[in-house]
Structure formats: structure tokens, C-alpha cells
Amino acid sequence: MASDEGTTTRIDSWIWSVRLTKTRSQATAACRAGHVRVNGDRVKPAHAVRSGDEVRLRIAGRERIVVVSKLVRKRVGAPVAAEYFIDNSPPPPPREEVPAVATRDRGAGRPTKRERREIEQLMLRGQ
């Protein structure tokens, strides 16, 4: 299998393999930008990660805190990837509700002055 106990793996490769980022280049860029910390230290993409290390990854405005339980060198499926780390991340913030965009029926033409004022009133109430 792809698991290698007792050895080390590059941090960018491990982050990509357990599906914390979509691509390996995103994982490498996050390391270079200083968004990845292993045991509290900022690391470069080639840093060796071992079992038991705590990895903090800031991506898409959210911080992921995971503890490495097993090493993996090749990308694995999502259900299998969950076995390779322990997720200690805080829950994601709730999604903001976006008000519905006013739409018109196809072929209805441009709104009249009266309809435009009604639309503007609705838009002001939503703010």
C-alpha cells in the first residue's frame, strides 16, 4: 500500500495525499507562503513530516489543525485519507445566507418605472 511507517514524507506531498488541498502545487504554494506549520514552526515544502506531528494549514480563510497518524506518499481516496490524520480543527464558520437575486420572466421586457421602484424597495429591505 502507500503507507510507510517509520519513514518520513515531504509535507507538501503529505498535505496533497490526504486531500487537505486539491493540488500538490497548492500545497507547495501554501508552504512557501508560510501558511503551513509543523509543531509550531513554519516549514518549507521539502520539510520531513513524521507520525505524531501536528500540522496547521491555513487555506481558504480557514485553519485546519491535524495530527499525522500515518504517512502516505501517493494520493488516496477520501474515505482512506481520513485514516491518515486526526482532525482537531475548529468547526467551519456558518455560511452566510445570500439574498435571492431578483429575476424576471423571460420575454417580459424591460421593467416599467413602477416595477423598477418596487425592485429598488425590495433591494433596500434586504440590506
Side-chain angles (χ1 to χ4, degrees):
M1 178 122 201
S3 170
D4 293 328
E5 287 295 329
T7 61
T8 60
T9 304
R10 288 176 56 112
I11 185 67
D12 62 341
S13 177
W14 186 83
I15 289 172
W16 169 72
S17 297
V18 296
R19 297 176 174 265
L20 294 176
T21 60
K22 289 185 179 182
T23 64
R24 183 160 175 198
S25 60
Q26 282 181 347
T28 303
C31 291
R32 287 192 179 131
H35 299 299
V36 178
R37 292 178 179 264
V38 175
N39 298 326
D41 298 326
R42 286 186 178 173
V43 294
K44 293 183 179 180
H47 181 80
V49 67
R50 296 173 180 82
S51 294
D53 286 349
E54 180 188 63
V55 177
R56 291 177 176 257
L57 169 68
R58 176 162 286 287
I59 192 160
R62 180 176 175 218
E63 186 172 31
R64 300 286 308 265
I65 304 168
V66 297
V67 177
V68 179
S69 59
K70 294 180 188 177
L71 296 178
V72 62
R73 290 177 189 242
K74 297 194 179 203
R75 192 164 170 98
V76 293
V80 177
E83 299 172 6
Y84 290 95
F85 64 89
I86 301 166
D87 195 358
N88 295 331
S89 304
R95 290 187 178 187
E96 297 178 11
E97 292 185 20
V98 180
V101 179
T103 58
R104 292 183 54 82
D105 294 331
R106 188 170 177 91
R110 293 177 55 182
T112 63
K113 192 171 193 177
R114 182 178 187 180
E115 291 171 338
R116 182 183 51 82
R117 288 180 180 155
E118 290 173 357
I119 292 170
E120 288 176 356
Q121 285 294 324
L122 288 173
M123 297 297 278
L124 291 175
R125 286 184 196 159
Q127 292 179 355

